[in-house]
């Protein structure tokens, strides 16, 4: 008996994952699958790249097969919500591989692409619907789908959904899904708001955790170069040119910054692409495909666009700028060292960013190895630094970047947002 069989999964699913090269369950899979099969609510705390998708996708498919029902028109039997288009597409692609020998149907819906084909596809009903919250509500409002038959709700990367202001959308969606549902919530970090969300939506949940919240991926070697902001571009270009065999993901704070850096790399002879909120869906897909198939070696990204992306060959993650929120660092560096491989996370830290680095070290409990440059004498308080930086450049705004809720984007053109309304409220 294989380890997957002893977890209680059906042979059809096991055959599919064996063909995908999964022989041994990862820790989150070993811990989560039995609880999900027993129909327990679950709060899963797992690092990025730990096999979360199969941890919920396999038992979900198993249970749907066991129920042996067909979806009603315009209905979904299970709903998976994820923060970004890329992550939705990735989850759906994984699920399609798991269930390819079964009669189950997977449908994904995301913003930024035409809604009519999605309305048509949903007309037949679906077993598993994978969606970004904004587009899903748009489809609900157009009566293209109803959620009252969904007896499974999965919230993946819940912390990022909150960061992107989806809290009201999540509340609304949770109210539309069947009351007798099983709810699974996954998050890499555990801020207070997630605890609250879990308290509201999960019923006596089992808690599984494969690493303490905020802990960085074990296999990632982390280092930092102290270098002035103005020197960073040339510094990074030289470093990447000197290592022609690497596959790199570079994180910037702003979409304009990311685009500028990508152009500078291309001008220096590096094959690079970019992915951020100003790119269309097809441009984003092309860039990711390029890094996957090796036609580009560097992908320059902003946080919002890059969350959850799984590109197995990424050997290096560069933080061209450190993220303002320490948790984002954990997500960024989790893009490398996936599925058991090793990886490097290299940060370029200007003197003004030193406070951010200290916060990251505090969160992760890891002291990042200094590779070059002088450690700044003191760390600027983060709040002060943020104000100084934000005067110069605005970090990429979640909504503008996600572009997930077309309805909302359309309305935004006509209605001025009341000044005191929060981004979260607007997202609802
Ligand atoms: P995820 O955290 O779901 O994005 O998964 C990260 C990567 O690990 C993906 O490339 C998966 O295909 C792969 N993976 C997940 N579970 C297993 C497993 N049990 N054995 C081998 N690879 C896996």
């Amino acid at each position: 008996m294989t380890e997957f069989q002893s977890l209680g999964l059906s042979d059809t699913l096991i055959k599919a994952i064996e063909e995908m090269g999964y022989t041994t369950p990862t820790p989150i899979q070993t811990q989560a699958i039995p609880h999900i099969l027993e129909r327990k609510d679950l709060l899963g705390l797992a690092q990025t790249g730990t096999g979360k998708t199969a941890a919920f996708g396999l038992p979900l498919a198993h249970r749907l097969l066991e129920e042996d029902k067909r979806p009603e028109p315009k209905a979904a039997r299970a709903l998976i919500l994820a923060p970004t288009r890329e992550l939705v597409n990735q989850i759906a692609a994984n699920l399609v591989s798991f269930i390819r020998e079964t009669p189950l149907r997977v449908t994904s819906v995301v913003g930024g692409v035409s809604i009519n084909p999605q309305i048509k596809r949903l007309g037949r009903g679906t077993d598993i619907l994978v969606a970004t919250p904004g587009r899903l509500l748009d489809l609900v409002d157009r009566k293209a789908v109803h959620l009252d038959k969904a007896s499974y709700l999965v919230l993946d990367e819940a912390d990022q959904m909150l960061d992107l202001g989806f809290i009201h959308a999540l509340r609304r969606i949770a109210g539309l899904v069947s009351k007798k549902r099983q709810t699974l919530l996954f998050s890499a970090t555990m801020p207070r708001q997630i605890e609250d969300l879990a308290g509201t939506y999960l019923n006596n949940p089992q808690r599984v955790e494969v690493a303490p919240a905020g802990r960085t991926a074990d296999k990632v070697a982390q280092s930092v170069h102290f270098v002035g902001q103005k020197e960073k571009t040339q510094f990074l270009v030289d470093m990447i040119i000197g290592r022609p065999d690497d596959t790199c993901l570079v994180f910037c704070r702003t979409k304009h910054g990311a685009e500028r850096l990508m152009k500078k790399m291309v001008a220096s002879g590096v094959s690079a692409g970019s992915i951020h909120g100003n790119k269309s869906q097809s441009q984003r897909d092309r860039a990711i495909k390029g890094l996957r198939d090796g036609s580009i070696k560097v992908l320059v990204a902003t946080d919002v666009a890059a969350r959850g992306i799984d590109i197995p060959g990424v050997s290096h993650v560069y933080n061209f700028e450190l993220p303002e929120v320490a948790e984002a660092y954990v997500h960024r560096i989790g893009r490398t060292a996936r599925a058991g491989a090793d990886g490097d996370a290299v940060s370029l830290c200007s003197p003004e960013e030193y406070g951010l680095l200290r916060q990251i070290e505090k969160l992760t409990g890891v002291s990042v190895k200094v590779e070059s440059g002088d450690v700044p004498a003191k760390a600027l308080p983060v709040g002060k630094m943020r104000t100084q930086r934000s005067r110069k450049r605005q970090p990429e705004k979640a909504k503008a970047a996600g572009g997930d809720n077309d309805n909302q984007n359309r309305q935004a053109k006509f209605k001025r947002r009341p000044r005191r309304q929060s981004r979260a409220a607007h997202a609802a």
Side-chain angles (χ1 to χ4, degrees), residues 146-214:
H146 58 88
L147 304 174
D148 50 341
K149 294 286 183 294
S151 42
Y152 302 91
L153 173 64
V154 182
L155 308 176
D156 195 18
E157 306 244 353
D159 48 350
Q160 171 74 351
M161 286 202 272
L162 295 189
D163 285 352
L164 291 177
F166 283 134
I167 183 70
H168 293 272
L170 293 185
R171 289 216 171 102
R172 200 179 144 207
I173 292 166
L176 297 170
V177 176
S178 166
K179 296 273 171 296
K180 284 195 229 136
R181 64 167 185 263
Q182 181 179 12
T183 308
L184 316 173
L185 188 151
F186 288 88
S187 185
T189 53
M190 198 64 190
R192 184 64 207 275
Q193 266 191 309
I194 296 281
E195 300 265 8
D196 294 347
L197 194 73
T200 316
Y201 291 115
L202 303 184
N203 180 16
N204 195 16
Q206 299 293 319
R207 186 178 168 121
V208 297
E209 183 169 356
V210 295

Side-chain angles (χ1 to χ4, degrees), residues 332-404:
R332 287 181 178 189
I333 75 165
R335 302 300 111 210
T336 181
R338 291 177 79 77
D342 289 330
D344 285 280
V346 182
S347 297
L348 307 190
C349 180
S350 67
E352 308 84 70
E353 290 174 307
Y354 187 44
L356 296 175
L357 182 69
R358 298 289 293 271
Q359 282 205 333
I360 288 164
E361 291 182 326
K362 206 164 140 206
L363 175 82
T364 59
V366 173
S367 143
V368 179
K369 183 175 167 222
V370 178
E371 207 65 64
S372 74
D374 297 326
V375 180
K378 66 172 189 186
L380 216 58
V382 168
K384 189 168 170 209
M385 199 213 62
R386 240 179 232 164
T387 330
Q388 285 185 355
R389 290 211 309 191
S390 56
R391 260 188 227 128
K392 284 196 205 135
R393 298 165 299 175
Q394 285 295 324
E396 183 170 7
K397 279 280 183 333
K399 277 294 91 199
D404 163 63

Side-chain angles (χ1 to χ4, degrees), residues 4 21-22 24-26 29 49-54 90 94 310 338-339:
F4 274 114
Y22 295 16
T24 317
T26 65
Q29 291 162 5
T50 51
K52 261 189 297 169
T53 316
Q90 205 167 281
N94 261 309
D310 175 33
R338 291 177 79 77

